[in-house]
Amino acid sequence: MEAMLEFLHIEAICTELELIWIKIQNDTDIIFENLNHFEILMLIIIGYFVYLLLMYTINSPTYQRICDFLLCRTLRKVTMAPTEEGKQEAEEYWGNKTVCKVKNVYSELPMEPLQDKEFKRIVDELSKDNDLILGTQNFGKNKYKSSKEMHSEVEKLSNRANGIFFKSNPMHYDLFEGNCQMEAEVIKMCANIYKGDVETCGVLDCSEADCIRNALLSYRAWSKDYKGITIPNVIAPQTFDPSLNRAGELLDVEIRRIPVDNNAKMSPKDIAYYVDENTIAIFLSNPDGAFGVFDSIKSIAEYCYRQGMGCHVDCSHSSFLLGFDGVNFGKEDQGNFETKGVTSIGVSLNKYGLGSPGTSCLLYKTRILRKSQYYAHYNWNGGMYTSPNLSGSRYGSAIAATWVKMLGTGKNIYTKKANDIIDSTLKLRADLKERSGHLDILTEETLSVLAFKLKNGDSYNLADFLRNKGFNVVNTINPQAISLTVTEVNNEMLPDLKKFIDEYIKNYLGKNAKYEGEGIQKFYENRDTLLNYIHTKFDLPDLMKNTREEIRLQ
């Protein structure tokens, strides 16, 4: 009882501190933006010494929790403060990309409804960039359907189901029984793909990040109810999806990241140094989205089983390809429920599952874990409120479209597509290794994600060059490299990719000449410029300077 009162006392104090922090937010924005780098560094050092002093001189969980709260908030504020110069540079970069591209910008509702012809003209105009992206040699992570697939009969049926269930919300299971039936069947099909049994269950979420948040929510509630853990932490390699850190902030769970070796792998031997009595789960990738590296799931999951901890496996990037008999990968798939110790799995169905964006599946080994993420509020004035996940409402239209796609594709077609993608990725890796005098291949176990970098040169400049040629590649930060994802869409474009890499090596590498591209690499040179780049990207609506009235005056 005393421990419970102490915990509630801590929570009350931290809640008051949160309110105070919100009140002074605007003032601290002004203060930190006017500090130079030296002053910020000194502020961090002084604050850290004060934190250590309080932690080690006052032996009370109340003070320790408050110190952790203040340190976290202060460090987050000083490290996230963008500079004025950097903000201006980023605004110019994004402003040049957005201003004048759209000729109809509505800042308020029209007085009268728009007519069909005007709707069609505006929609056609706004969808030009979308059509361009979906028709290019895209090696990013936002297109998984070929043009043939986009115009197939199954896709037409999927789009029709999307329209029919546009207003459906499976959260209201008593009203939308048909949509809930679709959801249940998608979950069961996913459980079968990932080798579940009769106890395997799950929920559909909107994204990979939702799966991670809800899994963390479930482990937090389960560990509190069954193990009495009130200050939980989880373990994850540095390469695990960054949305885990965001989930940790929201749910007040400490995220302990373990460094990886030169092969971007976390050593199972290092885990024991990070685990303590409050560790509730270990989060692993199968594989990760940046380098395509598979974590050592089998050995780590067995360790979790022995320690009585959860083991969540993120299968959102490409392991859907491995779930079918007849797939020729040459490596045992450990990211399923046949691996002892795996307790939950997250998978994005909109990728290689070819489903609708906004559909991901979170699977649990047992119903006890799924029950831990449920929420019910019994004494609300409006009646009882219940929700199976954090988001509450879900897209019934996306669930219906995904249900159609999965049933309309079938195991045989999924298997053929998987083998084609794996073969294409292995061939690309072999071709890039032939250029080993200029390139380092960072991905050893290649499924569909491949990362490489220049041995002696600016990899970001090469990425700019490839983007200008129509390839939507991704910049990785640690190390500075290029990551690409092979899909059914772009595997026919691999010869062109190799040709352009050779062109860059011939014309720019090792010479005084440098390709003058978008210059996006300058935003990755240090933390400040990168934060400015990110902040301004999310402020894009503010950069849309052409309103409808201004266009009329032109």
Side-chain angles (χ1 to χ4, degrees):
M1 187 66 182
E2 291 181 0
M4 177 60 70
L5 291 174
E6 175 73 6
F7 175 75
L8 293 175
H9 180 54
I10 295 172
E11 290 298 310
I13 294 176
C14 286
T15 302
E16 290 298 324
L17 287 173
E18 183 76 40
L19 295 174
I20 295 171
W21 187 271
I22 293 172
K23 290 178 182 178
I24 65 172
Q25 189 98 8
N26 294 332
D27 295 334
T28 54
D29 282 339
I30 298 172
I31 294 171
F32 286 121
E33 286 183 5
N34 292 327
L35 293 178
N36 58 39
H37 291 288
F38 177 76
E39 291 170 333
I40 292 175
L41 178 61
M42 292 302 297
L43 182 60
I44 293 174
I45 294 173
I46 294 171
Y48 186 66
F49 276 110
V50 172
Y51 163 77
L52 291 178
L53 179 65
L54 290 172
M55 284 287 288
Y56 289 99
T57 58
I58 305 176
N59 187 21
S60 165
T62 303
Y63 284 105
Q64 291 178 3
R65 180 70 182 278
I66 294 171
C67 289
D68 285 338
F69 173 86
L70 292 174
L71 179 69
C72 174
R73 292 300 187 195
T74 304
L75 288 179
R76 185 178 177 192
K77 173 58 67 177
V78 299
T79 54
M80 292 296 286
T83 61
E84 287 299 326
E85 181 181 353
K87 284 196 290 187
Q88 183 178 359
E89 187 178 43
E91 285 178 5
E92 291 176 358
Y93 174 83
W94 284 109
N96 292 333
K97 283 182 168 296
T98 57
V99 176
C100 299
K101 276 196 171 184
V102 181
K103 294 182 179 179
N104 297 88
V105 178
Y106 288 91
S107 57
E108 60 181 54
L109 285 171
M111 295 299 295
E112 299 294 335
L114 294 185
Q115 300 302 311
D116 290 348
K117 288 184 178 180
E118 188 168 3
F119 260 129
K120 185 179 185 307
R121 181 176 62 82
I122 296 173
V123 170
D124 289 343
E125 184 180 348
L126 293 174
S127 63
K128 284 180 181 178
D129 287 343
N130 186 60
D131 293 338
L132 179 64
I133 291 172
L134 297 181
T136 55
Q137 306 162 359
N138 193 328
F139 281 84
K141 303 174 182 178
N142 49 14
K143 188 185 177 189
Y144 292 82
K145 300 177 185 178
S146 64
S147 298
K148 182 179 178 181
E149 183 80 30
M150 295 288 284
H151 295 90
S152 66
E153 288 300 317
V154 175
E155 188 69 18
K156 292 177 182 177
L157 287 172
S158 179
N159 292 336
R160 184 168 179 268
N162 188 85
I164 292 173
F165 289 89
F166 179 71
K167 295 289 187 179
S168 298
N169 180 2
M171 180 181 174
H172 303 287
Y173 51 86
D174 53 335
L175 300 177
F176 303 104
E177 293 181 1
N179 207 205
C180 291
Q181 176 71 19
M182 291 176 170
E183 180 180 31
E185 291 181 8
V186 170
I187 292 170
K188 284 298 182 184
M189 285 187 279
C190 290
N192 179 265
I193 291 171
Y194 287 94
K195 309 297 189 293
D197 54 25
V198 293
E199 278 294 308
T200 304
C201 56
V203 293
L204 291 189
D205 287 313
C206 297
S207 66
E208 172 190 359
D210 273 342
C211 287
I212 292 172
R213 280 192 291 269
N214 282 303
L216 188 63
L217 171 68
S218 180
Y219 287 118
R220 188 189 72 166
W222 171 81
S223 62
K224 182 179 180 180
D225 292 340
Y226 291 91
K227 302 178 73 175
I229 297 176
T230 56
I231 308 178
N233 65 76
V234 300
I235 309 295
Q238 283 182 335
T239 51
F240 192 85
D241 194 271
S243 61
L244 177 62
N245 287 64
R246 182 63 169 162
E249 289 184 8
L250 293 172
L251 298 173
D252 196 20
V253 177
E254 180 189 357
I255 308 300
R256 298 179 177 179
R257 294 276 185 169
I258 299 182
V260 295
D261 58 22
N262 293 333
N263 295 320
K265 273 197 169 187
M266 174 180 68
S267 173
K269 296 179 181 179
D270 294 338
I271 295 176
Y273 293 102
Y274 290 83
V275 171
D276 60 24
E277 66 277 6
N278 290 324
T279 302
I280 59 176
I282 297 179
F283 282 58
L284 303 172
S285 302
N286 189 55
D288 75 89
F291 304 105
V293 174
F294 291 82
D295 287 325
S296 304
I297 295 173
K298 188 173 184 179
S299 59
I300 297 175
E302 288 179 355
Y303 173 82
C304 291
Y305 180 80
R306 292 195 303 270
Q307 298 294 322
M309 299 185 302
C311 179
H312 177 79
V313 180
D314 182 16
C315 295
S316 296
H317 293 288
S318 54
S319 71
F320 190 88
L321 300 173
L322 300 177
F324 306 97
D325 296 334
V327 174
N328 303 316
F329 181 50
K331 180 185 183 300
E332 178 189 4
D333 179 25
Q334 301 175 358
N336 56 52
F337 289 117
E338 286 185 341
T339 301
K340 186 176 182 180
V342 172
T343 51
S344 62
I345 293 173
V347 55
S348 292
L349 297 173
N350 64 298
K351 296 178 181 177
Y352 293 101
L354 305 178
S356 173
T359 313
S360 292
C361 185
L362 174 57
L363 298 171
Y364 289 111
K365 178 72 173 176
T366 64
R367 299 181 188 277
I368 293 176
L369 273 177
R370 183 177 65 173
K371 185 179 178 181
S372 296
Q373 79 166 51
Y374 292 168
Y375 177 78
H377 192 79
Y378 299 101
N379 57 353
W380 177 47
N381 294 7
M384 185 173 66
Y385 171 83
T386 60
S387 175
N389 55 15
L390 283 171
S391 59
S393 297
R394 298 185 301 288
Y395 300 114
S397 56
I399 292 171
T402 299
W403 178 83
V404 171
K405 284 296 297 184
M406 294 182 72
L407 291 176
T409 303
K411 290 183 178 180
N412 290 337
I413 295 178
Y414 275 130
T415 301
K416 183 182 182 305
K417 291 178 183 294
N419 282 326
D420 290 344
I421 290 169
I422 292 171
D423 292 343
S424 298
T425 310
L426 292 174
K427 186 176 185 305
L428 174 61
R429 185 178 185 278
D431 290 338
L432 293 180
K433 287 204 76 170
E434 293 178 0
R435 297 154 177 82
S436 58
H438 302 290
L439 300 176
D440 271 335
I441 311 301
L442 304 179
T443 308
E444 293 295 329
E445 301 168 330
T446 303
L447 182 56
S448 67
V449 180
L450 187 64
F452 62 94
K453 67 184 182 72
L454 291 171
K455 284 187 173 179
N456 299 298
D458 187 348
S459 296
Y460 288 169
N461 191 247
L462 171 58
D464 272 349
F465 179 80
L466 293 176
R467 272 190 286 269
N468 188 55
K469 298 296 183 180
F471 295 92
N472 183 21
V473 296
V474 177
N475 292 15
T476 65
I477 297 178
N478 187 21
Q480 292 189 358
I482 299 171
S483 175
L484 54 87
T485 303
V486 178
T487 69
E488 183 187 10
V489 179
N490 54 42
N491 59 8
E492 297 179 358
M493 310 298 179
L494 299 181
D496 290 337
L497 176 68
K498 292 175 283 189
K499 180 184 72 175
F500 290 132
I501 291 175
D502 289 338
E503 181 182 335
Y504 180 89
I505 291 173
K506 178 181 178 181
N507 296 331
Y508 299 102
L509 193 61
K511 300 181 180 181
N512 293 329
K514 186 175 182 179
Y515 172 72
E516 296 296 334
E518 292 181 327
I520 195 173
Q521 70 271 16
K522 67 185 175 183
F523 295 108
Y524 286 82
E525 290 173 357
N526 60 62
R527 181 182 174 86
D528 287 337
T529 54
L530 181 60
L531 288 173
N532 291 327
Y533 171 85
I534 294 169
H535 289 179
T536 312
K537 178 180 178 181
F538 290 129
D539 288 339
L540 276 180
D542 299 334
L543 302 178
M544 304 294 289
K545 299 174 183 176
N546 281 359
T547 64
R548 189 171 179 80
E549 289 73 18
E550 290 173 342
I551 294 166
R552 285 173 178 166
L553 292 175
Q554 294 174 5

